[in-house]
Amino acid sequence: MSVHVVRKAPRVDAEDDARSDCTLDDDNHFGVPLERFGTYDDTDNTDAYALDDEHVSALRISQDEDWLAAQYSDDDHYSSGSGTPSSDDGDLPGTSEGMHRLPVSEVTFKTLDAESSELDLLEYLNTEENRDDPWNHSVPILDIVPQENHVEAMMLRLQPFDSPPFQNVAECLDLMRQLLEGLAFFHEHKITNIDFSPYNIGMDTGLLPVDAPNWDRSEGHVQYHLMDFSTATRASADLTANERLDIKELGSSLKRIFQKMPEMDFLSHFLSSMTGSDAASRPSAAEALALLDTMSADLPPETIFQRLA
C-alpha cells in the first residue's frame, strides 16, 4: 500500500463546496476540511454579537459591558452566553453593514490569568495567519476581554464531539483525520503536550443546528476543535520525544472513542502503532495522517458508509 504526501488544501467556503471530509474525490484523495468559521449571517437575530471580517478579535467593537458582565458565573470556570443585549433598532452598538453576526448562545467564556502561558498560546493560535490555516483545530477565540485581575477569553461555544452519536464509519474517520491534522499543525508550530482527552474535544456544527430534521455531520460540515491548552507548551528545542508522547495520547483517546464500535476494528493495528511502547516506532502526526488518507482511499464505499450498530 503506497503512501501519498498529505498537503494542506486551501480553505473553501461552505457555500461553494457541499463536501465534507467524508467525501471521496475523483483522484482517490480522502477529502479536505471546509472553512465555515465566520460565515454565520443572522441579521434578523438581535441576540447577537457583530463579527468584523478584518480580524478574529474584532468583536470588541460591539461589546456591551452590562451584557458581558451578566455572563460570568462564580460557580463555573466556563459560562455560556445566554443574555440578550438591547438596542432600539435591534442592532448592537458598533454594528455596521456587511458584518457577520453571532448569536450570544454560540459563545462561552473562560477565565484566564493575564500572565498565563495558556493565554499567550491561545492568542498565538488565533492570529489571523494561524486562524486561516485549515489544519488549525484549536477553539476559535473571538475576543480577549481584560478584567481587573484576569482576562475572559470569549470562545466559540462547541457541542460535545459525540452528540449526536456518530452514524457511520466515514464520520469516525473524519474525526480521526481532523484530530491528526490538528496535531500536525501544532507540531509544525512547536506546540506539544496537547490534551487529547475526549472531554477536551468539541464540535462546531456549522450552519446546520443539531436539532434540525435528519441532521448529520456531512450536511453540517462539522469541524472538531480542542478547547483547553492549559497543559500545552511551545518551545524551539528538539521536541521529538514530546511529539511521540502526543501521538500516543491521541491514539489512546481514539481507542477509547472507538472501543464500542466494532465497525472500526480495522483501525486496531493502526492505533496500536500510535500507542506502542517503543516511542521511536510511533509515526509522526504527518506520517499517521498520510497513512490514514491512504487507508481511507482504499476502503470500499460499503465500508466507509457502513452504519454503526
Side-chain angles (χ1 to χ4, degrees):
M1 182 172 63
S2 61
V3 177
H4 64 268
V5 177
V6 179
R7 295 182 175 86
K8 297 177 185 178
R11 286 184 172 260
V12 181
D13 288 337
E15 295 179 355
D16 298 330
D17 191 340
R19 300 178 306 159
S20 74
D21 278 7
C22 305
T23 303
L24 287 175
D25 293 332
D26 293 338
D27 61 358
N28 263 353
H29 190 265
F30 188 66
V32 294
L34 297 173
E35 162 60 9
R36 300 158 349 276
F37 179 65
T39 61
Y40 194 101
D41 186 7
D42 188 12
T43 54
D44 294 327
N45 184 358
T46 59
D47 297 352
Y49 260 118
L51 179 60
D52 191 289
D53 286 328
E54 294 181 357
H55 194 273
V56 71
S57 294
L59 279 171
R60 181 71 53 78
I61 64 174
S62 63
Q63 179 179 320
D64 181 304
E65 293 183 359
D66 292 335
W67 175 85
L68 189 62
Q71 309 311 307
Y72 304 142
S73 168
D74 294 332
D75 299 326
D76 299 320
H77 193 55
Y78 293 89
S79 58
S80 299
S82 58
T84 302
S86 60
S87 176
D88 294 338
D89 61 1
D91 279 337
L92 289 170
T95 301
S96 61
E97 185 177 357
M99 300 182 68
H100 299 307
R101 296 173 64 80
L102 194 69
V104 296
S105 61
E106 298 303 318
V107 299
T108 189
F109 294 86
K110 182 176 183 181
T111 302
L112 294 168
D113 189 302
E115 303 299 325
S116 69
S117 58
E118 184 179 8
L119 177 59
D120 291 340
L121 191 54
L122 288 173
E123 289 180 327
Y124 173 76
L125 289 169
N126 283 275
T127 60
E128 187 172 2
E129 179 181 2
N130 287 335
R131 195 73 266 167
D132 282 343
D133 193 307
W135 286 10
N136 182 358
H137 288 280
S138 62
V139 59
I141 302 296
L142 308 179
D143 201 7
I144 302 294
V145 184
Q147 301 296 313
E148 185 175 354
N149 299 313
H150 63 276
V151 300
E152 296 288 341
M154 182 190 292
M155 303 176 173
L156 188 68
R157 187 170 182 267
L158 302 175
Q159 182 86 2
F161 77 94
D162 56 353
S163 179
F166 293 96
Q167 297 186 51
N168 54 43
V169 170
E171 293 181 352
C172 296
L173 292 174
D174 185 26
L175 168 71
M176 186 173 178
R177 189 184 201 279
Q178 290 195 40
L179 294 178
L180 282 169
E181 287 175 349
L183 185 55
F185 169 84
F186 298 139
H187 287 176
E188 178 184 341
H189 290 265
K190 307 297 183 183
I191 299 170
T192 58
N193 299 317
I194 313 296
D195 181 3
F196 277 103
S197 303
Y199 65 80
N200 196 35
I201 303 170
M203 176 174 65
D204 172 12
T205 58
L207 305 180
L208 192 63
V210 295
D211 57 356
N214 302 317
W215 183 89
D216 67 61
R217 284 170 165 77
S218 61
E219 289 295 326
H221 305 302
V222 162
Q223 289 268 2
Y224 300 99
H225 300 286
L226 298 184
M227 300 178 288
D228 185 274
F229 287 84
S230 58
T231 64
T233 56
R234 182 168 180 253
S236 58
D238 182 10
L239 301 174
T240 302
N242 289 353
E243 291 174 354
R244 295 304 194 234
L245 286 174
D246 284 343
I247 200 75
K248 181 178 182 179
E249 169 82 8
L250 176 53
S252 297
S253 290
L254 289 169
K255 281 185 174 181
R256 291 171 59 188
I257 293 169
F258 298 149
Q259 65 182 346
K260 296 184 179 180
M261 302 179 187
E263 299 85 359
M264 304 304 295
D265 286 349
F266 67 91
L267 289 174
S268 58
H269 179 72
F270 185 14
L271 295 178
S272 293
S273 72
M274 294 174 63
T275 58
S277 57
D278 182 8
S281 298
R282 297 173 201 151
S284 67
E287 290 169 342
L289 183 56
L291 287 168
L292 179 65
D293 260 9
T294 300
M295 179 183 298
S296 300
D298 289 341
L299 290 174
E302 58 267 25
T303 297
I304 291 177
F305 298 105
Q306 181 180 0
R307 303 280 300 184
L308 302 180

